[in-house]
Amino acid sequence: MKRTKTYIGVMIIFTSIFTVFILFTKNYNVKAENTKIKISLDNQNITSLKDITDTMIIKKEAGFQAIGYSSDYKENGFTIHTDKFTGVDYSKVIHADQRSKVTFRYNSTIEHGAYRLVLILNDKRVVEIPADKSKFTYEIPKGDTVVALAGYKAHGKLTFQMKSAEGVKFTDDSEWDKEEAVTDTKDITSLKDITDKMILKKEAGFQAVGYSSNLTDNDFVISSGKFTGVDYSKVIHAKNKGKVTFKYHSTMDTASYKIVLV
């Protein structure tokens, strides 16, 4: 009996997105499972967490590669789940009206040595948040401070909370978010630049701001402030040939994205 795998890829260029995708089938030999495909890293020399330097974090040179990655953001904290993650996720930006003392509480099931949690100050200094502790207090400067998660083949759950004084809050409106990250392919200026050949060879790369995906058994939801490249969102495994119906809804401009089966 022949078994096949079909990949669902989502390509998007410079857009704010919200996509719901649901798989329906009466053929019980067909199922959806989390993707095991590898997304290219911007920097191919990452072989351990030590390879992700402070300079790479500040300059956004490490890239982002993930399997089963999702993030849930709340007013004063966030939770990240991942099956496998390599690179840097610039999770949150803290805005302070004045220099303020802030206390962070965090808990992680990610193995020590597989991740770093850091603060990026507005003078481009990196401050390590101790991974072997659950509480850290630091006096952040006036302006924007970035909370970043760096990982190498990290998997598990991270919960992060902030307790702060008045005038300190997480924000989605910062100059940091407006800075472009490095992409694998520099020549993508429109959706037409992402060819079928690039999709098959995983050459388009992945660049995102405020990107999260929630994968369940037969559907997924993707949200992003801005995304360019290809996300290989789901893998459908079929034991034999069968008819499948897809239902989907999106708030994206139809000229800025396409969904394909590979």
Side-chain angles (χ1 to χ4, degrees):
M1 181 180 295
K2 185 178 181 180
R3 299 187 180 191
T4 61
K5 285 189 177 181
T6 301
Y7 297 94
I8 302 174
V10 180
M11 286 144 290
I12 304 158
I13 179 92
F14 300 130
T15 185
S16 298
I17 66 169
F18 180 79
T19 302
V20 181
F21 193 99
I22 305 173
L23 166 70
F24 292 91
T25 177
K26 293 183 179 179
N27 182 346
Y28 294 101
N29 289 322
V30 180
K31 64 178 181 179
E33 58 184 22
N34 287 351
T35 178
K36 299 297 186 294
I37 201 164
K38 183 178 179 180
I39 301 171
S40 298
L41 279 169
D42 297 331
N43 192 309
Q44 303 298 331
N45 298 318
I46 298 176
T47 59
S48 71
L49 186 65
K50 292 180 180 179
D51 292 332
I52 303 176
T53 65
D54 289 355
T55 299
M56 289 171 65
I57 292 172
I58 292 169
K59 291 186 176 181
K60 299 184 178 180
E61 293 176 342
F64 184 101
Q65 170 189 309
I67 295 171
Y69 192 94
S70 66
S71 52
D72 179 23
Y73 297 107
K74 296 180 180 178
E75 184 177 355
N76 280 320
F78 57 87
T79 301
I80 292 174
H81 297 260
T82 182
D83 293 334
K84 193 174 183 181
F85 165 60
T86 295
V88 180
D89 177 17
Y90 301 90
S91 306
K92 272 287 188 179
V93 179
I94 305 167
H95 180 77
D97 292 339
Q98 59 187 1
R99 191 172 187 87
S100 304
K101 186 175 288 188
V102 178
T103 297
F104 306 103
R105 294 183 183 273
Y106 45 96
N107 181 51
S108 176
T109 63
I110 304 173
E111 181 182 355
H112 288 176
Y115 79 101
R116 295 175 63 197
L117 199 58
V118 303
L119 300 176
I120 306 172
L121 308 184
N122 53 19
D123 62 0
K124 302 299 183 182
R125 285 187 296 126
V126 173
V127 176
E128 195 86 17
I129 298 176
D132 58 348
K133 300 185 182 299
S134 59
K135 181 181 176 182
F136 179 66
T137 300
Y138 190 80
E139 192 172 68
I140 62 174
K142 178 181 178 180
D144 290 344
T145 297
V146 181
V147 183
L149 172 67
Y152 177 73
K153 295 184 178 180
H155 67 90
K157 175 182 176 181
L158 171 69
T159 301
F160 188 92
Q161 296 290 327
M162 177 180 73
K163 184 178 180 181
S164 60
E166 186 177 350
V168 180
K169 63 180 180 179
F170 283 126
T171 179
D172 295 323
D173 183 20
S174 73
E175 292 303 315
W176 178 271
D177 282 342
K178 295 171 186 175
E179 295 177 15
E180 295 294 343
V182 178
T183 55
D184 296 335
T185 303
K186 311 295 185 189
D187 300 326
I188 298 177
T189 58
S190 71
L191 187 63
K192 292 179 181 179
D193 292 332
I194 303 177
T195 64
D196 289 351
K197 183 179 178 180
M198 289 173 64
I199 295 167
L200 291 170
K201 291 190 173 183
K202 304 175 205 171
E203 295 176 340
F206 184 98
Q207 170 190 307
V209 174
Y211 188 91
S212 67
S213 59
N214 183 16
L215 309 178
T216 58
D217 285 345
N218 281 332
D219 60 35
F220 59 86
V221 177
I222 293 174
S223 300
S224 180
K226 196 174 185 182
F227 167 49
T228 297
V230 179
D231 176 17
Y232 300 89
S233 307
K234 276 280 194 178
V235 180
I236 305 167
H237 178 76
K239 292 182 179 179
N240 51 38
K241 190 173 183 177
K243 184 175 289 187
V244 178
T245 300
F246 304 103
K247 292 190 176 182
Y248 42 93
H249 169 70
S250 177
T251 62
M252 292 180 284
D253 180 355
T254 55
S256 66
Y257 81 102
K258 60 181 178 180
I259 303 174
V260 301
L261 300 177
V262 182

